[in-house]
Amino acid sequence: MSPTPSNRPVDRAMLDTARATIIDLMARHHVPGLTVAVTDADRLVFAEGFGCADLAARQPATSDTGYLWFSMSKIATATVAMRLTDEGRMDLDAPVGDLVPQYKTRSSVQPSVRQLLNHTAGAANPLPVRWVLPGDAADADIQAFTQRVLARYGRPKRPAGGPARYSNLGYLVLAEAIARATGEPFESYMRRALLAPAGMTSTGYAPRSDVQYATGYVRLPRVGTPLLRAALPAGIVGDRHGEQVALHRFRVAGAGYGGLIGSAPDAARLLRLHLADGVVDGNRILTPGSARAMRTIATPGRPFDLGLGWFRRRADRDAVPRFVEHWGTGGGFWNAMRLYPDLGLGVVVMANTTRGYDHSALMTALVSAIAR
């Protein structure tokens, strides 16, 4: 595991233990490829790839390999919503319907923007398995698909203000609210307001020719392949490689909830921004109060207790050292990023597997090698 420049000391023996933990975890959970990155509030501590980004080509996963972020994208979306709040361009406690007219209830109590952030706005959560298009789909096709999803589901399903119920759709509505507040397409505003100033140069909402991307894999028996082809849109399912079925490159239709594509070090830059209470590379993106509010877990729910973006499983509420996190999971990929505010560390792991693995053990091993 190759550390990159940082003033934070690293325990080499513990780092070897972390490496062994990762390799063992990948073998036990049949993970083809995986990339980790660890950051403090100032700089990347290290990043490294393991296994294969593409099994057919025997292409190794590296620190720069790109992965679909899926729901880790929500932290980027929430960060920009809070930035607009800091600038006075969005009111967290204003009704969502002021910006997105269709998102209204028949009652006098209307869902607020804050409730979209913490998943208490009553949004439905339809399974987004088919919310994907081929990797070469045009931006206009992605945006048109997203608008169709909003037209079908984009109204409250439950009363606002109850327990948090995780919703991908809620963040599609939030992205639409951001676009209405700024008068600019969501993706272009995100690039200008967050990705560029944060230095997330290899991450965006569409594949790039200069980035090597991991191939997503689904591990299943041969008899399951026809079912997988039936479940996903035509052209997404590729060839089998042993026990793994490859997925052709695709884009997520729904930038606000899961559309980012990029590297683990770029995700670490987003973590760095939050560890530094809103600053990255000298650029202030958020006020300290907004960064802290995002990671303050104040709303009970299921399966997670929520802040304004970040979450924590109820089973982890008494974990030491304490942390908040966000996962990003979907067809072909399983990712997680975690903040340890008391340690001043952030960890991200991105893998090209559909099934979950013990990311917590992996992160604990990494943090043990670095924390002092």
Side-chain angles (χ1 to χ4, degrees), residues 56-72:
R58 304 305 299 172
Q59 180 180 333
T62 72
S63 59
D64 296 322
T65 296
Y67 298 81
L68 289 176
W69 282 39
F70 282 106
S71 284
M72 290 201 319

Side-chain angles (χ1 to χ4, degrees), residues 284-335:
R284 178 161 292 284
I285 308 296
L286 293 178
T287 63
S290 287
R292 293 167 189 161
M294 285 183 64
R295 64 178 184 257
T296 299
I297 305 299
T299 306
R302 59 183 189 191
F304 311 109
D305 294 336
L306 272 297
L308 299 180
W310 295 104
F311 63 58
R312 185 172 56 229
R313 289 180 295 186
R314 189 157 297 187
D316 294 324
R317 65 169 59 178
D318 297 320
V320 178
R322 70 185 179 93
F323 61 83
V324 295
E325 63 185 348
H326 209 290
W327 304 351
T329 67
F333 299 90
W334 209 106
N335 318 308

Side-chain angles (χ1 to χ4, degrees), residues 39-65:
T39 189
D40 60 21
D42 298 314
R43 59 186 59 82
L44 191 68
V45 178
F46 65 81
E48 185 76 10
F50 298 81
C52 283
D54 186 275
L55 292 171
R58 304 305 299 172
Q59 180 180 333
T62 72
S63 59
D64 296 322
T65 296

Side-chain angles (χ1 to χ4, degrees), residues 75-213:
I75 294 299
T77 302
T79 299
V80 166
M82 296 300 286
R83 176 171 182 161
L84 289 171
T85 300
D86 290 339
E87 295 171 346
R89 301 172 68 186
M90 181 178 282
D91 182 351
L92 288 188
D93 296 310
V96 178
D98 288 356
L99 290 167
V100 186
Q102 70 265 33
Y103 202 81
K104 291 183 177 180
T105 66
R106 294 179 181 177
S107 71
S108 59
V109 179
Q110 295 298 318
S112 69
V113 175
R114 184 187 304 274
Q115 289 169 330
L116 288 176
L117 283 161
N118 66 18
H119 297 274
T120 62
N125 193 33
L127 193 64
V129 171
R130 299 185 66 85
W131 296 4
V132 298
L133 291 174
D136 60 357
D139 289 348
D141 293 334
I142 295 289
Q143 291 158 7
F145 191 106
T146 302
Q147 289 302 315
R148 290 196 295 272
V149 170
L150 284 169
R152 181 174 181 182
Y153 299 109
R155 292 173 176 78
K157 181 180 179 181
R158 299 178 304 275
R165 293 190 181 183
Y166 190 84
S167 171
N168 291 311
L169 184 69
Y171 269 68
L172 285 189
V173 176
L174 181 60
E176 185 71 8
I178 289 170
R180 300 287 180 89
T182 60
E184 188 173 339
F186 173 78
E187 294 90 335
S188 64
Y189 185 75
M190 290 291 293
R191 286 190 287 268
R192 188 164 62 82
L194 176 62
L195 302 181
M200 297 167 66
T201 57
S202 68
T203 297
Y205 293 98
R208 290 171 32 169
S209 61
D210 59 340
V211 176
Q212 171 205 87
Y213 293 101

Side-chain angles (χ1 to χ4, degrees), residues 248-301:
H248 292 305
R249 188 176 300 169
F250 61 89
R251 295 179 64 181
V252 174
Y257 94 87
L260 283 174
I261 314 169
S263 69
D266 269 12
R269 283 185 163 273
L270 184 57
L271 291 173
R272 193 178 313 159
L273 181 162
H274 284 274
L275 287 168
D277 283 344
V279 176
V280 60
D281 294 345
N283 296 318
R284 178 161 292 284
I285 308 296
L286 293 178
T287 63
S290 287
R292 293 167 189 161
M294 285 183 64
R295 64 178 184 257
T296 299
I297 305 299
T299 306

Side-chain angles (χ1 to χ4, degrees), residues 208-234:
R208 290 171 32 169
S209 61
D210 59 340
V211 176
Q212 171 205 87
Y213 293 101
T215 297
Y217 291 98
V218 181
R219 178 173 171 255
L220 79 173
R222 289 186 179 276
V223 295
T225 305
L227 296 176
L228 183 64
R229 292 187 187 280
L232 295 175

